[in-house]
Amino acid sequence: DRMQRLIEDLMSLSRIEAEKFELPSDRVDLSELVKDARDFYINSRGKKENEILVTLPTQIPQIYGDRAQLSQVINNLLSNAFKYGKRGAPVRIDLVPNRTGTMLCLSISDEGDGIAPEHIPRLTERFYRVDKGRSKSIGGTGLGLAIVKHITERHGGRMEISSKVGKGTTVSVLLPIAISAPIGETARVEST
């Protein structure tokens, strides 16, 4: 099973890298993908409703994106939060526009052991592990955050990781809010 997951993650990363210059142009409601992921973890993974706390404002702007890849971002981050968070402690999902209204910020937080500051810059490297012994017992391929980073960059966004040892970790993905024309295209103005 682990070998199969590794092959799937490597193939996924390869596809993302091959598409990195093709900016997605479909409008996506990220709040729907968050709700779908939450429902999946509750209905299929046996998580309780109080283990996934979601904060969504009433009006969420859309982004341009690839639905499948954005779902993969949310699922990879949720998987990590549950793997490395304290058992039974809630995982938080927050989705809000930034202060300037140009980016949509998806943050997923756990209440785990946290990560020492010297490891944070390397977390998105392929196969990098903070604690190799613990990671092997928990599972995973060591590619999840690398995949998240590449998908985020393909969407014209950025990824941020903050952590406090003994308190937990928050991974945030900031993605450009959709405007009248997709990134890289200009709106057509018709003359009369």
Side-chain angles (χ1 to χ4, degrees):
D1 285 345
R2 189 154 182 230
M3 186 64 74
Q4 181 67 30
R5 286 194 310 270
L6 179 61
I7 291 167
E8 288 169 1
D9 280 354
L10 284 169
M11 298 216 18
S12 179
L13 194 53
S14 178
R15 278 192 301 274
I16 295 160
E17 287 178 337
E19 296 171 337
K20 71 180 171 184
F21 298 112
E22 298 172 28
L23 293 172
S25 59
D26 293 334
R27 283 185 177 260
V28 176
D29 182 346
L30 207 53
S31 64
E32 285 179 14
L33 299 181
V34 167
K35 290 173 191 172
D36 290 346
R38 180 183 182 274
D39 291 346
F40 172 77
Y41 271 84
I42 291 171
N43 298 325
S44 300
R45 296 282 172 101
K47 297 297 177 188
K48 296 175 183 149
E49 288 192 27
N50 64 352
E51 289 182 283
I52 304 177
L53 306 176
V54 178
T55 303
L56 299 172
T58 53
Q59 295 287 327
I60 296 284
Q62 293 184 333
I63 61 169
Y64 289 109
D66 179 311
R67 286 183 66 84
Q69 287 184 352
L70 292 169
S71 287
Q72 188 172 13
V73 164
I74 295 166
N75 284 306
N76 282 5
L77 295 178
L78 275 175
S79 175
N80 278 359
F82 281 116
K83 275 183 207 168
Y84 298 107
K86 287 181 186 164
R87 188 177 185 94
V91 167
R92 295 194 56 80
I93 305 173
D94 296 295
L95 183 63
V96 294
N98 68 351
R99 287 186 196 122
T100 61
T102 57
M103 305 285 270
L104 195 55
C105 181
L106 167 72
S107 297
I108 298 184
S109 307
D110 67 53
E111 294 180 10
D113 294 335
I115 303 162
E118 63 269 17
H119 293 289
I120 291 176
R122 298 197 60 200
L123 289 177
T124 58
E125 291 177 16
R126 295 173 194 191
F127 306 112
Y128 183 78
R129 306 274 189 164
V130 173
D131 180 350
K132 292 174 182 26
R134 182 171 180 229
S135 294
K136 283 185 182 179
S137 68
I138 291 174
T141 62
L143 294 171
L145 289 179
I147 289 170
V148 169
K149 178 184 175 193
H150 280 79
I151 291 173
T152 302
E153 288 174 350
R154 177 181 181 228
H155 284 75
R158 71 180 187 275
M159 178 177 160
E160 298 173 354
I161 302 170
S162 62
S163 188
K164 291 185 181 175
V165 175
K167 298 283 185 187
T169 302
T170 298
V171 180
S172 300
V173 172
L174 289 96
L175 300 164
I177 290 173
I179 51 175
S180 59
I183 300 167
E185 289 185 21
T186 55
R188 291 193 183 113
V189 178
E190 294 182 22
S191 57
T192 54

